[in-house]
Amino acid sequence: MSDLLQGVLLDEFTLLTRTDLCGHGRLAPEELEVLAALGLVTPQDADRYPATMLARVRRAVRLKKGLETDWETVALIMDLLQEIEALRARIRHLQAHEVAASRTPREPS
Amino acid sequence: MQYKDYYAVMGVERNASAEDIKRAYRKLARQYHPDVSKEPRAEERFKEIGEAYEVLRDPEKRAAYDQLGSHWHSNQDFTPPPGWQAGGGPRMHGFEDVRFSDFFESLFGGARSRARGADEHAHLTITLEEAFHGLTRAIRLTVPGRDGQGTVRTLNVRIPKGVQHGQQIRLAGQGNPGSAGAGDLYLEIDIAPHPLYRLDGRDLTLTMPVTPWEAALGAKLKVPTLGGPVEVRLPAGSQTGQKLRLKGRGLGGTNPGDQYVLVEIVNPRADSERARALYQDMARELAFDPRAHWGAL
């Protein structure tokens, strides 16, 4: 068994510098500027970004390379994917609610 | 190592034009890109497609690959011919941060000699209770080996309490090795659906069935939370759909979320003489019209 690994949780409370974000996201600084202009990445302040942005950057880079498309199309795809995920979560919730309602005892105990 | 039939992977003929190959790739990419696909094994399939495209899109690499001849079959044992010299050189298009197969490396090796190893991405499904308390989990990752067979690597990873669905944990240096250092492993957390709680970020929602008299008269009720049961005061006159907030009873972490208790009034059945008599008493005694806002019909 290996040693215990403690990774970095990429949440909104962990901040990354622009250099870190570009390095881990394998993105050129000028490309990060494009993503920011498209609203895909939002800085916390002048040089720091919430670590949640790293997952967005990595996804954007994967989509651009994998689908051989431009950043504008990537932004559109990511907006639509986000909406699909929200709708799927809503469907799961409604289905779970239906199941829970069907299990609720209707007889007084 | 095993031979890879890149033409079969792309679903094109050996004499396909560059335009045919590009079109086939774009179609397959839409189908298997792991960020958009729900196909099983999409990530693995997309890597195969990316590798095939990397070779077939590049005239020099494709010509070198074609030199091997057309008598090979997928998964047939393969060793590069003596004195093999690859065409195409180290030029990589869109996949420089992806680890390709040993078959590719043996034909076009050295492409990433100055590169950091590729990052890896894995999913880990945990329960809501595990997300609440935090956990240590042994994760088994399959690393492709030189013989074409995977070797299993086990990592013992600490998952912090309060982790949310979809959040990622970056494990530095646990990705694929490279001459400029190993890549990172990104572990994406999936929280399995829970029979009682609905999860929304750090907040939880629990539906609480109550009797009509508890809702009408008010009651003190025990409610489950992930941290243990708590007593909740249900105000008199509560209605279905109303929510009670239990502050800080959601998922923990730096900024713990809340638990919402959704009131749902459940009516007992009128399936006995006594029950019917009670409902008839209510109908007589209570001047109640829930459709009064419709006006006269």
Side-chain angles (χ1 to χ4, degrees):
Chain A
M1 181 68 72
S2 63
D3 292 337
L4 184 62
L5 296 172
Q6 182 104 37
V8 177
L9 179 63
L10 304 179
D11 64 6
E12 64 268 44
F13 303 108
T14 305
L15 297 176
L16 299 174
T17 64
R18 181 189 305 263
T19 307
D20 285 341
L21 188 58
C22 289
H24 296 316
R26 305 195 186 214
L27 185 78
E30 54 273 21
E31 291 178 301
L32 184 62
E33 295 301 324
V34 174
L35 293 188
L38 288 168
L40 282 177
V41 174
T42 313
Q44 175 89 7
D45 54 37
D47 185 51
R48 294 185 306 168
Y49 294 79
T52 48
M53 293 295 145
L54 178 53
R56 288 181 69 78
V57 164
R58 283 170 40 76
R59 188 177 214 188
V61 169
R62 281 197 305 267
L63 285 167
K64 182 169 187 296
K65 288 180 177 173
L67 299 178
E68 293 193 309
T69 188
D70 53 38
W71 289 119
E72 286 76 10
T73 308
V74 167
L76 177 64
I77 292 170
M78 287 184 65
D79 285 347
L80 293 174
L81 286 175
Q82 194 171 349
E83 192 169 341
I84 290 169
E85 283 162 13
L87 290 171
R88 284 191 175 132
R90 182 78 186 143
I91 290 169
R92 279 197 300 274
H93 163 59
L94 291 172
Q95 286 173 337
H97 192 75
E98 277 178 18
V99 170
S102 69
R103 285 180 184 157
T104 302
R106 299 292 167 187
E107 299 286 341
S109 56
Chain B
M1 112 188 54
Q2 293 171 327
Y3 177 81
K4 286 187 181 292
D5 186 341
Y6 290 140
Y7 290 102
V9 169
M10 297 285 291
V12 295
E13 300 293 330
R14 290 184 72 87
N15 60 357
S17 67
E19 193 53 40
D20 290 339
I21 289 167
K22 190 174 190 176
R23 200 177 301 120
Y25 171 77
R26 290 194 165 170
K27 188 176 173 194
L28 291 168
R30 283 208 313 275
Q31 189 177 353
Y32 290 105
H33 194 293
D35 286 294
V36 297
S37 176
K38 289 288 164 196
E39 298 271 352
R41 298 176 58 239
E43 191 152 358
E44 193 182 325
R45 182 87 173 90
F46 187 65
K47 280 183 182 174
E48 290 175 354
I49 294 160
E51 178 175 318
Y53 188 47
E54 181 65 31
V55 173
L56 300 186
R57 75 188 301 188
D58 181 323
E60 288 182 60
K61 281 198 183 75
R62 184 179 177 184
Y65 175 74
D66 285 346
Q67 276 180 36
L68 296 173
S70 58
H71 60 285
W72 293 93
H73 304 292
S74 285
N75 301 326
Q76 189 177 348
D77 281 343
F78 174 81
T79 315
W84 169 264
Q85 284 197 319
R91 185 159 59 93
M92 305 290 280
H93 294 277
F95 301 96
E96 60 275 358
D97 55 354
V98 175
R99 188 191 188 284
F100 285 158
S101 70
D102 291 333
F103 174 74
F104 180 97
E105 297 283 348
S106 74
L107 296 181
F108 309 106
R112 292 178 294 283
S113 60
R114 293 183 302 279
R116 185 157 64 96
D119 294 333
E120 280 291 331
H121 190 106
H123 284 262
L124 176 65
T125 301
I126 63 176
T127 65
L128 185 58
E129 286 82 359
E130 288 173 329
F132 182 78
H133 294 290
L135 74 152
T136 299
R137 176 70 62 86
I139 297 166
R140 292 157 62 85
L141 296 171
T142 303
V143 184
R146 283 277 157 210
D147 56 357
Q149 301 297 311
T151 54
V152 175
R153 192 161 63 107
T154 302
L155 300 176
N156 210 13
V157 180
R158 176 79 195 146
I159 311 296
K161 71 174 185 179
V163 68
Q164 294 176 52
H165 183 80
Q167 276 186 336
Q168 296 184 13
I169 296 172
R170 186 174 69 84
L171 296 157
Q174 299 299 327
N176 286 294
S179 58
D184 299 333
L185 170 63
Y186 288 84
L187 204 55
E188 184 167 337
I189 302 297
D190 297 326
I191 299 178
H194 195 281
L196 290 183
Y197 301 100
R198 176 170 67 87
L199 187 58
D200 182 14
R202 287 189 170 81
D203 295 335
L204 300 168
T205 300
L206 170 80
T207 299
M208 177 170 72
V210 300
T211 62
W213 45 92
E214 287 169 337
L217 306 175
K220 283 184 177 173
L221 301 171
K222 271 200 168 178
V223 172
T225 75
L226 290 173
V230 297
E231 196 169 73
V232 169
R233 193 180 67 81
L234 181 69
S238 292
Q239 298 286 353
T240 289
Q242 285 182 344
K243 279 183 179 179
L244 308 174
R245 184 168 76 121
L246 305 179
K247 192 171 162 46
R249 290 281 174 175
L251 280 184
T254 311
N255 185 18
D258 302 326
Q259 177 173 321
Y260 291 92
V261 178
L262 183 64
V263 174
E264 182 185 63
I265 299 171
V266 179
N267 295 308
R269 284 182 181 159
D271 55 0
S272 69
E273 280 300 319
R274 179 67 182 143
R276 275 192 292 277
L278 288 169
Y279 275 118
Q280 283 158 358
D281 282 350
M282 277 200 289
R284 266 194 310 274
E285 300 292 332
L286 303 177
F288 179 54
D289 180 4
R291 296 173 297 281
H293 63 288
W294 287 1
L297 294 177

